[in-house]
Amino acid sequence: MSLALPRPHRDDLRIAVGGLLGGVLLWVLGIHPRMASDNLVLWQAPWAPLMPLAVTAACEPLRRIRPRTGLLIGTAALTLDTVTLGNIVTIVLYTDLMYAAVLYGSLAAARRIPWVTGMLTVLGGVVPAALWRDPQGLLIGVGVGVVAFAPASTGWVVRNHRDAAEAARLRAEQTALLAEMDRTQAVTAERARFARELHDMVAGHLSAIAIHSTAALSLDDPKTSKDALAVIRENSVEGLAEMRRLIGILRAGSGDREPAASPTLDGLGALVDGARANGLEVTLDAGHDSVPVPVELAAYRIVQESLTNALKHAAKGRVHVALHQENGTLRVWVTSPYRPGDASRVSGSGSGLAGMRERAALLGGSFEAGPEGGRWAVRAVLPLTEGDPA
């Protein structure tokens, strides 16, 4: 199976063709860097400079796809060029091959080539000057430096700038990606917060409306229907007020703040009275001092949702609500009668328990809910310092 090589870049092909034509033009005009009388010119055939020129030009298409191969072949061609009359274009093309080998080659080669050419430059100047005892021997080192070390060093500098620009681009992309992730997480968290608020504010009222409307439709008793309609109206008005408050928050763009009329633990009495009006038998035992606003809101919502669940699912009996402050935490207990297998008055989605668990977790607290000794128990422990583990 044949191995397909990458296609050369079009600019590299243009360099090869242009260099070859330029070198041929100089050869036709008889412009050479050396004279036939020089001792180093061992191959004096007039057409001899064209061979290294053609080989070096043929290496140009490899400068990006096979830079190391192009440099090795070009070095051999340049060595052959030194024993002929020579061609300036061959030398220029070779400097480009040296530059490309550092810029497009492997990182190891890019680090090694400048060091090697630098040592050759020093040795090429010092050794001939020492052997010939003539300072003009240093010119050989200068020539090596111009042909090899200078383009290699230039390639290394350009490569460093290119890599730094690429690293900066990647960092910018990562920063933009992280910013987008942060924005998405913030939007998700905000949506979850408003979903919890909407559920906690409206679910209780809608559950009471559903239960009492069922009672009004199923019982042919004018007094019972009138009482049920009164409860329905009261819960409808309160639910609409809560909805308007939440919609006002959304329209005002104040999603990072709780509303000014945010419920407090002082409103637990009214909350319990509303639950009693809906038909629950509730007792309240609240013993606590002043607590932070986030803890106060979470505790209120947990009690509110627990009473809503009791209205929808609890069996007949007393519902007990207790709040106590101890050891830097606020402990919330809500227990209600529980008999496995009893049908719920209103179907639920389970989002209420998830919302209570999220509220406790956001404050670094704990939450448990489940059957316990013939009753359904909701237990939450909320640290009074927001974010501390309970």
Side-chain angles (χ1 to χ4, degrees), residues 15-236:
I15 292 174
V17 173
L20 181 61
L21 295 178
V24 171
L25 177 62
L26 293 180
W27 176 78
V28 170
L29 296 176
I31 301 175
H32 304 287
R34 289 178 288 275
M35 303 296 294
S37 58
D38 290 345
N39 295 329
L40 293 177
V41 180
L42 303 179
W43 191 6
Q44 297 187 3
W47 50 267
L50 295 178
M51 291 187 62
L53 171 66
V55 173
T56 307
C59 292
E60 282 295 331
L62 303 177
R63 65 193 297 273
R64 297 175 197 259
I65 58 177
R66 292 289 187 272
R68 182 178 177 182
T69 302
L71 179 62
L72 292 176
I73 298 175
T75 301
L78 182 67
T79 304
L80 178 62
D81 182 76
T82 59
V83 299
T84 68
L85 294 176
N87 195 303
I88 296 296
V89 176
T90 302
I91 299 174
V92 173
L93 292 176
Y94 180 78
T95 60
D96 182 66
L97 293 176
M98 181 67 72
Y99 169 82
V102 176
L103 181 60
Y104 300 114
S106 65
L107 181 59
R111 291 174 175 173
R112 189 185 306 117
I113 290 175
W115 285 100
V116 173
T117 55
M119 288 188 295
L120 290 177
T121 299
V122 174
L123 293 176
V126 173
V127 173
L131 291 177
W132 299 342
R133 301 181 185 278
D134 187 351
Q136 289 189 353
L138 296 173
L139 295 178
I140 298 177
V142 173
V144 174
V146 172
V147 174
F149 179 68
S153 301
T154 303
W156 177 249
V157 171
V158 174
R159 182 176 182 135
N160 283 340
H161 283 293
R162 184 194 66 183
D163 293 345
E166 180 66 15
R169 185 186 66 82
L170 291 176
R171 285 195 298 269
E173 290 181 354
Q174 292 175 352
T175 301
L177 180 60
L178 291 175
E180 179 63 20
M181 292 175 60
D182 290 342
R183 187 193 68 82
T184 302
Q185 291 175 355
V187 170
T188 302
E190 193 68 3
R191 290 178 63 182
R193 189 173 80 90
F194 277 111
R196 287 194 301 269
E197 287 294 314
L198 180 61
H199 179 275
D200 292 345
M201 288 191 297
V202 178
H205 299 301
L206 292 180
S207 298
I209 291 172
I211 292 172
H212 286 278
S213 61
T214 301
L217 292 173
S218 61
L219 297 177
D220 189 14
D221 183 354
K223 183 178 184 307
T224 302
S225 298
K226 183 177 180 180
D227 293 340
L229 289 174
V231 174
I232 289 172
R233 183 184 183 284
E234 180 182 354
N235 281 276
S236 300

